[in-house]
């Protein structure tokens, strides 16, 4: 055996080991790749392909029409109303959920008793079926026998047909959406508050930040920044995907005042049977979600070196 032979054998072993590790890696990630392909990539590709056709649900024939569905959407008042209502709904639900969730978490965490009870009470709406609770909300907001109008009338405030008025229907849906998402935000903020070391508050006291607002500004809010970002993204995506309350309470009315993107998609695809047109709405909805996910990744990566 020459002096070069051990080196050659060692190199062959490294090559064989590397090939075995790569093969094992492919075997381990293979099932996940298959599921991603079947559950996400292929359906997304199918939706994109249908969006370029004039297919009606149940029709045996279809024609390729390119981007005609998308140009029609731009000129469709109902779609523009859905886009505007969805944006307005998100702008109402997300800030109110963040502020109320953080405020309630601070109040509960500062209390001495019944913390578990308060956590459970506020988390119940998130665990409850929104479809079932929407029926309860419909009874509460009934224009004649609803508890809300009766209470308003008792204290001299004006009553209204909350779900049938163009000026009140969207804010009322936002109130219900905030009520439903509040429990999730509360629990996440409570978990974040528990992870703030007491040493930070002690150091802030030494530096003169001994007031409640000073401690909140100097220690609590900066420490909760990662949790706040996560809550922001989750609540925003949930708000964009609102469908249950619109379908059960308003069906997009009155006069498209409460129609949102997912309900518009459902209405075009399964009520009007214009599946190609509905698929175009789905593509736009998917692009918005992807943009939000990319924004999340960008913000997280920007903040990562400072954590």
């Amino acid at each position: 055996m020459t002096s070069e032979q051990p080196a050659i054998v060692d190199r062959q072993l490294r090559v064989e080991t590397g090939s075995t590790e790569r093969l094992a890696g492919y075997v381990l990630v293979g099932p996940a790749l298959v599921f991603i392909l079947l559950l996400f990539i292929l359906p997304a590709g199918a939706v994109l392909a249908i969006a370029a056709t004039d297919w009606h649900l149940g029709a045996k024939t279809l024609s390729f029409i390119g981007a005609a569905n998308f140009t029609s959407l731009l000129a469709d008042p109902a779609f523009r109303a859905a886009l505007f209502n969805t944006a307005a709904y998100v702008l109402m639900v997300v800030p109110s959920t963040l502020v109320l969730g953080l405020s309630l978490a601070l109040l509960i965490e500062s209390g001495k008793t019944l913390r578990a009870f308060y956590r459970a009470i506020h988390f119940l709406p998130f665990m409850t079926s929104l479809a079932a609770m929407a029926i309860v909300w419909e009874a509460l907001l009934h224009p004649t026998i609803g508890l809300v109008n009766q209470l308003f009338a008792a204290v001299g405030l004006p009553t209204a047909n909350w779900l049938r008025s163009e000026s009140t229907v969207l804010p009322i849906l936002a109130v219900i959406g905030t009520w439903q998402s509040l429990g999730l935000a509360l629990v996440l903020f409570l978990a974040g508050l528990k992870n703030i070391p007491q040493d930070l508050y002690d150091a802030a006291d030494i530096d003169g930040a001994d007031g409640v607002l000073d401690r909140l500004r100097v220690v609590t809010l900066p420490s909760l920044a990662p949790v706040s970002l996560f809550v922001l993204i989750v609540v925003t995506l949930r708000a964009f995907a609102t469908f249950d309350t619109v379908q059960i309470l308003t069906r997009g009315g009155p006069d498209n005042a409460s129609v949102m993107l997912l309900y518009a998609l459902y209405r075009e695809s399964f009520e009007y049977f214009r599946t190609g047109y509905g698929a175009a709405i789905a593509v736009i909805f998917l692009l918005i979600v992807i943009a939000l996910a990319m924004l999340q990744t960008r913000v997280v990566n920007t903040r990562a070196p400072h954590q």
Side-chain angles (χ1 to χ4, degrees):
M1 178 179 294
T2 66
S3 59
E4 295 180 350
Q5 286 179 324
I8 295 174
V9 172
D10 183 59
R11 189 161 53 248
Q12 289 177 340
L13 286 175
R14 287 202 299 271
V15 171
E16 292 175 358
T17 302
S19 300
T20 304
E21 290 177 349
R22 281 196 296 274
L23 179 60
Y26 292 141
V27 171
L28 291 174
V29 303
L33 288 176
V34 170
F35 277 114
I36 291 174
L37 181 67
L38 294 177
L39 297 179
F40 298 102
I41 297 178
L42 287 181
V47 169
L48 188 59
I50 293 172
T53 70
D54 64 349
W55 186 49
H56 285 58
L57 187 64
K60 297 180 179 178
T61 60
L62 54 85
S63 301
F64 178 77
I65 58 174
N69 283 329
F70 295 96
T71 55
S72 298
L73 280 176
L74 296 177
D76 186 349
F79 174 73
R80 290 204 298 267
L83 206 57
F84 173 81
N85 291 338
T86 304
Y89 178 85
V90 170
L91 289 176
M92 286 188 280
V93 169
V94 174
S96 57
T97 301
L98 287 174
V99 172
L100 289 176
L102 178 59
S103 301
L104 285 173
L106 290 171
L107 286 174
I108 293 174
E109 189 63 20
S110 63
K112 302 298 182 185
T113 59
L114 299 177
R115 291 182 181 179
F117 172 76
Y118 291 133
R119 283 198 296 267
I121 287 294
H122 290 97
F123 194 64
L124 276 179
F126 181 73
M127 298 297 294
T128 307
S129 167
L130 190 56
M133 293 311 299
I135 298 174
V136 177
W137 276 100
E138 187 175 26
L140 291 173
L141 296 168
H142 192 278
T144 56
I145 61 173
L147 181 61
V148 173
N149 270 350
Q150 292 186 21
L151 290 175
F152 274 46
V155 297
L157 293 175
T159 60
N161 192 346
W162 305 101
L163 295 175
R164 299 294 179 269
S165 169
E166 293 183 24
S167 60
T168 59
V169 63
L170 197 60
I172 288 296
L173 291 180
V175 169
I176 298 174
T178 302
W179 167 82
Q180 211 266 335
S181 298
L182 188 59
L184 175 64
L186 170 68
V187 169
L188 292 174
F189 279 128
L190 282 173
L193 288 173
K194 288 186 178 301
N195 288 329
I196 300 177
Q198 182 61 37
D199 295 345
L200 293 180
Y201 290 110
D202 296 339
D205 289 340
I206 295 173
D207 291 339
D210 53 354
V212 174
L213 293 179
D214 287 340
R215 290 159 61 94
L216 181 66
R217 178 177 58 83
V218 175
V219 178
T220 305
L221 293 181
S223 300
L224 285 178
V227 176
S228 302
L229 177 64
F230 180 74
V231 174
L232 172 67
I233 297 299
V234 171
V235 173
T236 302
L237 292 177
R238 285 174 55 85
F240 262 107
T242 296
F243 173 78
D244 312 52
T245 49
V246 178
Q247 166 67 12
I248 296 171
L249 295 178
T250 69
R251 299 182 70 82
D255 195 20
N256 289 326
S258 63
V259 67
M260 297 191 204
L261 280 178
L262 275 193
Y263 183 75
L265 187 162
Y266 167 81
R267 187 169 64 180
E268 294 293 342
S269 300
F270 301 106
E271 290 185 356
Y272 303 156
F273 303 118
R274 299 197 299 175
T275 311
Y277 199 69
I281 299 176
V283 171
I284 293 176
F285 179 79
L286 182 62
L287 291 176
I288 293 174
V289 172
I290 291 175
L292 285 175
M294 292 176 66
L295 177 64
Q296 175 196 22
T297 304
R298 185 178 181 83
V299 173
V300 170
N301 289 340
T302 302
R303 293 188 56 85
H306 307 289
Q307 300 302 315

